[in-house]
Amino acid sequence: MDLSVFVAGLPLKNPVLTASGTFGYGREAAELYDLSVLGGVMVKGVSREPWPGNAPVRVARAPGGMLNAIGLQNPGLEHFLMVDLPFLRQYDTAVVVNVVGHDEEGFVEVVRGVTGQAGVAAIELNISCPNVKDGLLFSQDPASARRLVEAARRETDLPLIVKVSPNVTDPVQLGHACREGGADALSAINTLLGMAIDPVRRSPVLGNRTGGLSGPAVKPVGLRIVYDLAAQVGLPVVGMGGIETGRDALEYILAGARAVAVGTAVFRDPFAPPRIVGELAAELGRHGFESAAQAWAAANPQAREAVS
Amino acid sequence: MDLSVFVAGLPLKNPVLTASGTFGYGREAAELYDLSVLGGVMVKGVSREPWPGNAPVRVARAPGGMLNAIGLQNPGLEHFLMVDLPFLRQYDTAVVVNVVGHDEEGFVEVVRGVTGQAGVAAIELNISCPNVKDGLLFSQDPASARRLVEAARRETDLPLIVKVSPNVTDPVQLGHACREGGADALSAINTLLGMAIDPVRRSPVLGNRTGGLSGPAVKPVGLRIVYDLAAQVGLPVVGMGGIETGRDALEYILAGARAVAVGTAVFRDPFAPPRIVGELAAELGRHGFESAAQAWAAANPQAREAVS
Amino acid sequence: MKMWDLLVCDVLRPAQDYVELRLQAPQPIDLTPGQFFMLRAGDTPDTYLPRAFSWYRSEDPSSISFLFRVQGPGTAHLASLKAGESLSAMGPLGQGFPLPARPIRAALLGGGVGVPPLWGLARALLAAGSEVLALIGARSQAHLVGVEEVRALGAQVLVATDDGTAGHRGPLTELLVGERVDALYACGPEGMLRRVQEISLAGGPPAHLALEAPMACGYGVCLGCVVERTHPDPSLGEYGRYARVCREGPVFPAGEVRF
Amino acid sequence: MKMWDLLVCDVLRPAQDYVELRLQAPQPIDLTPGQFFMLRAGDTPDTYLPRAFSWYRSEDPSSISFLFRVQGPGTAHLASLKAGESLSAMGPLGQGFPLPARPIRAALLGGGVGVPPLWGLARALLAAGSEVLALIGARSQAHLVGVEEVRALGAQVLVATDDGTAGHRGPLTELLVGERVDALYACGPEGMLRRVQEISLAGGPPAHLALEAPMACGYGVCLGCVVERTHPDPSLGEYGRYARVCREGPVFPAGEVRF
Ligand SMILES: Cc1cc2nc3c(=O)[nH]c(=O)nc-3n(C[C@H](O)[C@H](O)[C@H](O)COP(=O)(O)OP(=O)(O)OC[C@H]3O[C@@H](n4cnc5c(N)ncnc54)[C@H](O)[C@@H]3O)c2cc1C
Ligand SMILES: Cc1cc2nc3c(=O)[nH]c(=O)nc-3n(C[C@H](O)[C@H](O)[C@H](O)COP(=O)(O)OP(=O)(O)OC[C@H]3O[C@@H](n4cnc5c(N)ncnc54)[C@H](O)[C@@H]3O)c2cc1C
Ligand SMILES: Cc1cc2nc3c(=O)[nH]c(=O)nc-3n(C[C@H](O)[C@H](O)[C@H](O)COP(=O)(O)O)c2cc1C
Ligand SMILES: Cc1cc2nc3c(=O)[nH]c(=O)nc-3n(C[C@H](O)[C@H](O)[C@H](O)COP(=O)(O)O)c2cc1C
Ligand code: FES
Ligand code: FES
């Protein structure tokens, strides 16, 4: 089975990546298996300076998934370039740097900083984190999303992926703004804004009160947004949200995703990403496809035409 | 345990209602148990004229829940008044009429039609159905939501509950608009826009392509929106989304809901609503409350003050 | 309609991919052929909704069995049940097959997972003095179910398979050629039901079809399982366009539905 | 850290609400006292995330047991396992208790679900020639676990209960009064850990605390389980404010964490 795909010019040996924030910078999973089996690694969000993240409690259980309010704890650009990137460079897998910032300048400096560094395959701008105060700033207003993407675009020739928020009335409008700003691809979905209540303490479980919902519970929302973005925006999409099995991955590809990312599933099964690579190959065969690219192309062409 | 509560002046013998569209007009469940055990029944959406609903496939499975795209099939106002309301009047439970329309006039005429009819306890304006073309029209623009609520308000003295959409960037802003328009209470959440993909047919499962996600999977999203509405809008809230047990009901009350509604759970367990009435009484006792109203009042007063 | 706590007595594997669950009810159940139950089919995220199954056999009033093909997580869970475990079921649900007022010669067609309702229907028809010709179809011999069971009731049974490994090779409906029957009763894949509908409406004998539809509740409250009516009640206006398979069906006269 | 398919050999109920799962591993596991495992605790929507448990006893290198209190859906599922079933586990995880360079007299404090790591720690200390005073607390006599098991290793064991039904009535730490020990090791409820921390930092013996925190992954990738550091590495900037309980912990020197 030919699993190789392209996302905005970026060749991937297979369409299975790990989702940002659920895989650190690869060090822990590398104790379990060779990261070179992965299509790519989308690293934990990197900011200009080191960020401490939110005060605990940071995670809570949710039906068919979980809530998190990590708040983008990360060691910052310099540490990433000095310590984490060299580690990841050892592996034959596409490293996608997830970039965060409190403001345009913060984003742009990280984009500038990683551009031209050996081993960086692409950039993912995270404008959709619901767990930091200004995380959704750029998602909630398409015009400012567009300006941010334009500013990032000026700094880099790397494939530029923008991660759009599911917590907005119209993700497609946001996607259009990102395309106009110069994005090469979109990724979706980030977590859904949610809450857990502790009846003993009579208050929200998470220190941040609200958190981001992820896991199988959100899969239908992810499929819907990926389908709409793929059909209506005209950019390749990296799909994610609740992917646990090769069948889930195939569903995302048939919804229009060029590649997929596995997040929360790695908490339940640390081997989920390599397992899903194998399962996807089997599912493609079972449904009569000769390659991953063919499945994407075959998916629902009428629907795509109808809206394009 | 004293379970009685008030929602915007409407007395309920207990805080457990059935959610609109998951209970028909009560006829089927009445074959199983006496509807008088329920705090109330929120009936299937009623429109001015009979509506056929969407073409099948209308339901699909989803992790920890389901998707539906029923499209508000209903027999219309006249049939409701002649056949369904008289049936429900036999029971000692609060009948909340869920109202739908394609436009303002459609909504208003149903509001007018049910006002003054014996046995109607309150009205719920459904401005949040994701499964009809114009279902989200009023939710996506707070100004038009406000105008619609004002128009309905002029026609009725009944408690007016507005069901707000979770598929918007800012449900609180929408809630404010409804309050300004004259709403007495809010209900939330309606279903989340989602999709299921059939890998055999290589296309969406539902005839309508997208559908509404409900069931335990959406509980964290419901709790978050209820919490924000209750703390920030200053209207009583009827909370729903994934309630399966008395503990879930208590979590919603502690998030700020005055009453709750049980939807999708009745598909898995037709006896869920009366079971939850009993379980809620036990949970309240276990957590040291003497009444349902006390639990609501005790919930997280600091958080409520902080934002009020 | 009622909730039942059924006790698993026996788990049979009558054909490839097929399982028959034999269960005991605490009280007699009043069953009509063609009716179904919603079975609680697991506690995982994938099995949140119950699954619909026609009842298959019932040797005495408080025993019941279901026969199903293992297709996905729900049927896999049901297939994993063991004697002594219990199963939560809601039913019987829907309108079953109407029986003729006087003895007739009836053809019953069952394909694949559509075979179960035929057993009860054959027994009821035979008990009322009718003659029963049961046509049972499957992909191949290894997937045939119900043949001996229905024959044992006293029905004449003919078989068709897609690959010819047993009986006639080809569509089940071809076995009707040359048969003189007063009524058709069918349950099975959409293509087969459509063919029976055509035969009936083109001057053939009256037919009743047992439909399937994706269901959420099974008892009429979700409006998820609808099928289009050909002759809607005009007094209902647009509301009459669709009928609920779980409540007005699953059995419909062939001329009443468009699918 | 490794994934294991463990075989359930025995399910014991040593005290009210407590279950000990005794399991067999396919190969020897290299265990340090204070380390833990993430156990797959069910397939329902409520048990999507695995649950964290310290290892309790290990009589030979490929046997292991977990001792837990039934609190919610995950522990209820684990308690329902039967001999012969298998359990998916990830571990051993985290940094366990550091052992002293030479024999000492050590006090081990374990309250409630904090008792399990004490068994392995007592065994290791005793094997290295140290003297072990184990203080074990519980709500009441009926909830006491591990007392006989730790005593059987050769440790001196004292007991405290909240209601006085066994041993001292009151906080476990009151049993330290008048004892001369070189080091403290504690695992249990937050209040007890805080008291041990106070005692140690107020000129008492050096202490190590085994913390708990809500966890999602257990192996360091989610950053969900953090605790504040008192002496962050300045070279890490703000990033150093928090340590992961699952990776840098769960055992921390008492002076290193603020909780
Ligand atoms: C009235 C009625 C009677 C039935 N009687 C029998 C019977 O006697 N024996 C038997 O083997 N099967 C019967 N079925 C079909 C049975 O319900 C399905 O095989 C079962 O639901 C599959 O569940 P699963 O979890 O194993 O598979 P899934 O993987 O969930 O589904 C397998 C297939 O079922 C279909 N499906 C998807 N969603 C739904 C839904 N909401 N409701 C129904 N089908 C859906 C799809 O085609 C899907 O590919 C009956 C169905 C109905 C409606
Ligand atoms: C390193 C470590 C070692 C542990 N060792 C043991 C042990 O040896 N024996 C033992 O009985 N228990 C131990 N625990 C606690 C054990 O993990 C919990 O009792 C278990 O997770 C409860 O799961 P549940 O589904 O039964 O209950 P739930 O109903 O899910 O939770 C019960 C309580 O657990 C807490 N909780 C909620 N979310 C989380 C979360 N994400 N992670 C952790 N706790 C949460 C809450 O206080 C909640 O009230 C340990 C925990 C940690 C972190
Ligand atoms: C614990 C946790 C931390 C996350 N951190 C980030 C992050 O730093 N940047 C980001 O873009 N997304 C982050 N996400 C979102 C995921 O990358 C992913 O978009 C989302 O979880 C949906 O996929 P899933 O259901 O497979 O987890 C995080 C998710 C989780 C659960
Ligand atoms: C099959 C189905 C039909 C529904 N129809 C309506 C409706 O007619 N009007 C309405 O306001 N909400 C409708 N809803 C939404 C529910 O009332 C409820 O808001 C939502 O399902 C969340 O609650 P739950 O998770 O308990 O089901 C429907 C939901 C389902 C599942
Ligand atoms: S399945 Fe719900 S109405 Fe038929
Ligand atoms: S539990 Fe995930 S980092 Fe510790």
Side-chain angles (χ1 to χ4, degrees):
Chain A
M1 181 63 57
D2 177 8
L3 290 178
S4 66
V5 295
F6 281 85
V7 176
L10 172 67
L12 301 175
K13 65 169 68 156
N14 67 60
V16 180
L17 298 87
T18 57
S20 177
T22 63
F23 204 70
Y25 302 97
R27 206 175 294 274
E28 295 79 11
E31 296 175 24
L32 296 172
Y33 58 86
D34 179 356
L35 304 187
S36 302
V37 303
L38 300 173
V41 171
M42 304 179 106
V43 303
K44 175 79 189 162
V46 176
S47 54
R48 187 174 43 189
E49 292 89 20
W51 282 4
N54 291 329
V57 174
R58 289 183 172 184
V59 292
R61 293 168 186 151
M66 62 173 286
L67 289 160
N68 89 80
I70 309 300
L72 293 170
Q73 174 179 343
N74 84 89
L77 175 63
E78 193 184 321
H79 187 280
F80 173 72
L81 294 178
M82 305 283 288
V83 179
D84 302 306
L85 183 59
F87 174 80
L88 282 166
R89 243 186 330 242
Q90 302 172 265
Y91 299 96
D92 175 23
T93 190
V95 175
V96 179
V97 183
N98 183 280
V99 173
V100 294
H102 288 307
D103 49 27
E104 193 175 296
E105 205 37 45
F107 274 95
V108 165
E109 287 190 31
V110 181
V111 170
R112 191 183 302 141
V114 301
T115 298
Q117 298 286 338
V120 175
I123 288 173
E124 183 185 41
L125 292 184
N126 175 8
I127 62 163
S128 50
C129 180
N131 298 321
V132 296
K133 222 177 58 219
D134 37 25
L136 292 174
L137 212 65
F138 297 100
S139 271
Q140 284 171 358
D141 171 23
S144 65
R146 180 181 165 153
R147 273 194 306 276
L148 177 68
V149 177
E150 280 168 352
R153 179 75 289 170
R154 280 192 292 272
E155 300 293 337
T156 192
D157 290 330
L158 287 168
L160 189 59
I161 306 168
V162 185
K163 190 161 182 176
V164 299
S165 175
N167 299 299
V168 298
T169 308
D170 191 350
V172 168
Q173 187 191 14
L174 184 60
H176 279 303
C178 296
R179 184 175 49 74
E180 289 157 13
D184 298 308
L186 301 173
S187 59
I189 59 174
N190 211 315
T191 54
L192 290 177
L193 210 41
M195 180 180 278
I197 298 281
D198 180 346
V200 175
R201 291 174 37 238
R202 302 177 179 184
S203 68
V205 172
L206 296 172
N208 197 42
R209 290 192 198 168
T210 61
L213 180 65
S214 62
V218 310
K219 192 181 75 168
V221 177
L223 286 171
R224 183 258 303 180
I225 293 181
V226 166
Y227 184 94
D228 285 348
L229 293 173
Q232 298 182 44
V233 177
L235 287 181
V237 180
V238 180
M240 67 196 83
I243 295 177
E244 272 211 291
T245 64
R247 172 166 167 158
D248 296 330
L250 176 59
E251 288 173 9
Y252 268 92
I253 291 170
L254 293 174
R258 293 279 186 129
V260 300
V262 179
T264 304
V266 306
F267 304 158
R268 185 171 165 85
D269 174 8
F271 288 94
R275 171 175 56 72
I276 291 170
V277 173
E279 289 174 354
L280 175 60
E283 286 285 332
L284 285 166
R286 173 170 8 194
H287 289 94
F289 296 112
E290 275 157 32
S291 68
Q294 192 201 29
W296 175 81
N300 219 10
Q302 305 93 325
R304 267 165 232 298
E305 269 164 46
V307 293
S308 62
Chain B
M1 181 62 58
D2 178 7
L3 290 178
S4 66
V5 296
F6 282 84
V7 176
L10 172 68
L12 301 174
K13 65 168 66 158
N14 67 60
V16 181
L17 298 87
T18 56
S20 178
T22 63
F23 205 71
Y25 302 97
R27 207 175 291 273
E28 294 79 11
E31 295 174 24
L32 296 173
Y33 58 87
D34 180 356
L35 303 187
S36 302
V37 303
L38 300 173
V41 171
M42 305 179 106
V43 303
K44 175 77 189 165
V46 176
S47 54
R48 187 172 47 188
E49 292 89 19
W51 282 4
N54 291 330
V57 173
R58 289 182 172 183
V59 292
R61 298 172 181 145
M66 62 175 284
L67 289 158
N68 89 80
I70 309 300
L72 293 170
Q73 173 179 344
N74 84 91
L77 175 62
E78 193 184 321
H79 188 280
F80 173 71
L81 294 177
M82 305 282 287
V83 179
D84 302 307
L85 183 59
F87 174 81
L88 282 166
R89 244 186 331 244
Q90 299 171 266
Y91 299 96
D92 175 23
T93 190
V95 176
V96 180
V97 184
N98 183 279
V99 173
V100 293
H102 288 307
D103 50 26
E104 191 175 301
E105 204 39 42
F107 274 96
V108 164
E109 287 189 29
V110 180
V111 170
R112 192 184 301 140
V114 299
T115 298
Q117 297 286 339
V120 176
I123 287 173
E124 183 184 42
L125 292 184
N126 176 7
I127 61 164
S128 50
C129 180
N131 298 320
V132 296
K133 221 177 57 217
D134 37 25
L136 291 174
L137 211 67
F138 296 100
S139 271
Q140 285 172 357
D141 171 22
S144 65
R146 181 183 166 152
R147 275 195 304 277
L148 177 69
V149 177
E150 280 169 352
R153 178 77 289 170
R154 281 192 290 272
E155 299 292 337
T156 192
D157 291 331
L158 286 169
L160 188 61
I161 306 169
V162 185
K163 190 161 182 176
V164 299
S165 176
N167 299 300
V168 299
T169 308
D170 191 350
V172 168
Q173 186 192 15
L174 184 59
H176 279 304
C178 296
R179 183 175 50 71
E180 289 158 12
D184 298 307
L186 301 173
S187 59
I189 56 172
N190 210 317
T191 55
L192 291 178
L193 212 41
M195 181 179 278
I197 298 281
D198 180 346
V200 176
R201 291 175 37 240
R202 304 177 178 184
S203 68
V205 172
L206 296 172
N208 197 42
R209 290 191 198 168
T210 60
L213 179 65
S214 62
V218 309
K219 191 180 76 169
V221 178
L223 286 170
R224 182 259 302 180
I225 293 182
V226 166
Y227 184 93
D228 285 347
L229 293 174
Q232 299 182 45
V233 177
L235 287 180
V237 180
V238 180
M240 67 196 85
I243 295 176
E244 273 211 291
T245 64
R247 170 163 169 162
D248 297 328
L250 176 60
E251 288 173 9
Y252 268 93
I253 291 171
L254 293 174
R258 293 280 186 127
V260 299
V262 179
T264 304
V266 306
F267 304 158
R268 186 171 163 86
D269 175 8
F271 288 93
R275 170 174 57 72
I276 290 170
V277 173
E279 287 174 355
L280 175 60
E283 285 286 331
L284 285 166
R286 175 175 0 200
H287 289 94
F289 297 112
E290 275 158 32
S291 68
Q294 193 201 29
W296 175 82
N300 219 10
Q302 305 92 322
R304 267 165 232 297
E305 270 165 45
V307 293
S308 63
Chain C
M1 118 173 137
K2 224 176 124 173
M3 292 291 303
W4 300 91
D5 232 334
L6 303 175
L7 181 74
V8 180
C9 299
D10 218 346
V11 186
L12 310 177
R13 306 193 182 259
Q16 197 175 321
D17 301 338
Y18 278 86
V19 171
E20 181 183 357
L21 269 185
R22 301 180 63 103
L23 305 132
Q24 189 67 33
Q27 295 142 42
I29 315 182
D30 192 13
L31 295 166
T32 302
Q35 287 185 309
F36 69 100
F37 287 71
M38 295 299 281
L39 303 184
R40 189 76 70 86
D43 299 315
T44 64
D46 279 346
T47 52
Y48 188 73
L49 293 178
R51 290 349 191 210
F53 296 93
S54 308
W55 68 274
Y56 174 37
R57 294 197 280 173
S58 171
E59 309 286 358
D60 67 89
S62 52
S63 83
I64 186 167
S65 86
F66 299 96
L67 173 64
F68 54 88
R69 194 159 78 81
V70 178
Q71 305 212 42
T75 44
H77 170 83
L78 292 172
S80 77
L81 291 175
K82 304 214 162 20
E85 295 188 307
S86 78
L87 174 65
S88 172
M90 162 102 179
L93 297 163
Q95 309 301 319
F97 291 102
L99 293 177
R102 48 194 171 66
I104 60 166
R105 175 165 158 84
L108 281 52
L109 294 91
V113 302
V115 172
L118 265 45
W119 187 92
L121 180 59
R123 186 175 65 168
L125 287 166
L126 290 164
S130 289
E131 249 180 86
V132 172
L133 169 65
L135 310 179
I136 294 183
R139 245 189 299 162
S140 74
Q141 175 163 36
H143 296 88
L144 270 173
V145 286
V147 176
E148 290 318 314
E149 291 78 358
V150 173
R151 191 170 280 149
L153 295 168
Q156 181 194 352
V157 181
L158 295 178
V159 162
T161 52
D162 295 346
D163 63 359
T165 45
H168 176 72
R169 174 186 186 137
L172 199 54
T173 41
E174 291 179 357
L175 290 174
L176 285 174
V177 175
E179 294 286 348
R180 289 219 15 228
V181 295
D182 305 308
L184 301 172
Y185 300 90
C187 186
E190 213 171 280
M192 185 260 261
L193 295 180
R194 220 185 293 278
R195 187 74 195 104
V196 172
Q197 190 182 39
E198 280 167 17
I199 291 170
S200 174
L201 299 185
H208 278 88
L209 312 176
L211 302 188
E212 279 192 17
M215 293 185 172
C217 70
Y219 63 103
V221 296
C222 77
L223 306 183
C225 61
V226 297
V227 62
E228 207 175 335
R229 292 182 199 265
T230 44
H231 307 294
D233 177 349
S235 79
L236 294 175
E238 277 287 25
Y239 177 60
R241 187 187 301 174
Y242 294 108
R244 295 170 294 186
V245 170
C246 75
R247 195 89 176 172
E248 285 79 53
V251 176
F252 291 93
E256 297 294 319
V257 285
R258 183 169 11 241
F259 56 97
Chain D
M1 127 174 129
K2 221 176 129 175
M3 291 290 304
W4 300 91
D5 232 335
L6 303 175
L7 180 73
V8 180
C9 299
D10 217 346
V11 186
L12 310 178
R13 305 195 183 260
Q16 198 173 318
D17 302 337
Y18 278 86
V19 171
E20 181 184 356
L21 270 185
R22 299 182 62 104
L23 304 132
Q24 189 67 33
Q27 294 142 42
I29 315 183
D30 191 14
L31 296 166
T32 303
Q35 287 186 308
F36 69 100
F37 286 72
M38 295 299 280
L39 304 184
R40 189 77 68 87
D43 299 314
T44 64
D46 280 346
T47 51
Y48 188 74
L49 293 178
R51 291 348 191 208
F53 297 92
S54 308
W55 67 274
Y56 174 37
R57 295 198 279 173
S58 170
E59 309 287 359
D60 67 88
S62 54
S63 83
I64 186 168
S65 86
F66 298 97
L67 172 64
F68 55 87
R69 194 158 77 81
V70 177
Q71 304 213 42
T75 44
H77 170 83
L78 292 172
S80 77
L81 290 176
K82 303 212 165 19
E85 294 188 307
S86 77
L87 174 65
S88 171
M90 161 102 180
L93 297 163
Q95 308 303 319
F97 291 101
L99 293 177
R102 48 193 170 69
I104 59 168
R105 175 164 158 85
L108 280 52
L109 295 91
V113 301
V115 173
L118 266 46
W119 187 92
L121 179 59
R123 187 176 63 170
L125 286 167
L126 290 163
S130 289
E131 248 180 88
V132 172
L133 169 65
L135 310 178
I136 294 183
R139 244 189 299 164
S140 73
Q141 175 161 39
H143 297 89
L144 269 173
V145 285
V147 176
E148 290 319 315
E149 290 79 358
V150 173
R151 189 169 283 149
L153 294 169
Q156 180 193 353
V157 180
L158 295 178
V159 162
T161 53
D162 295 346
D163 64 0
T165 45
H168 175 71
R169 174 186 187 135
L172 198 56
T173 40
E174 290 178 358
L175 289 173
L176 284 174
V177 175
E179 293 287 348
R180 286 214 21 223
V181 295
D182 305 306
L184 300 172
Y185 299 91
C187 186
E190 212 171 281
M192 186 260 261
L193 294 181
R194 220 186 293 280
R195 187 73 196 102
V196 173
Q197 190 182 40
E198 279 166 19
I199 291 169
S200 173
L201 298 187
H208 279 89
L209 312 176
L211 302 187
E212 279 193 16
M215 291 185 173
C217 70
Y219 63 102
V221 295
C222 77
L223 305 184
C225 61
V226 297
V227 63
E228 207 176 332
R229 293 182 198 263
T230 45
H231 306 294
D233 177 347
S235 80
L236 293 175
E238 278 287 25
Y239 176 61
R241 188 186 300 174
Y242 295 108
R244 294 168 295 185
V245 170
C246 74
R247 196 90 177 171
E248 284 78 53
V251 175
F252 291 94
E256 296 294 320
V257 286
R258 179 162 24 232
F259 56 99

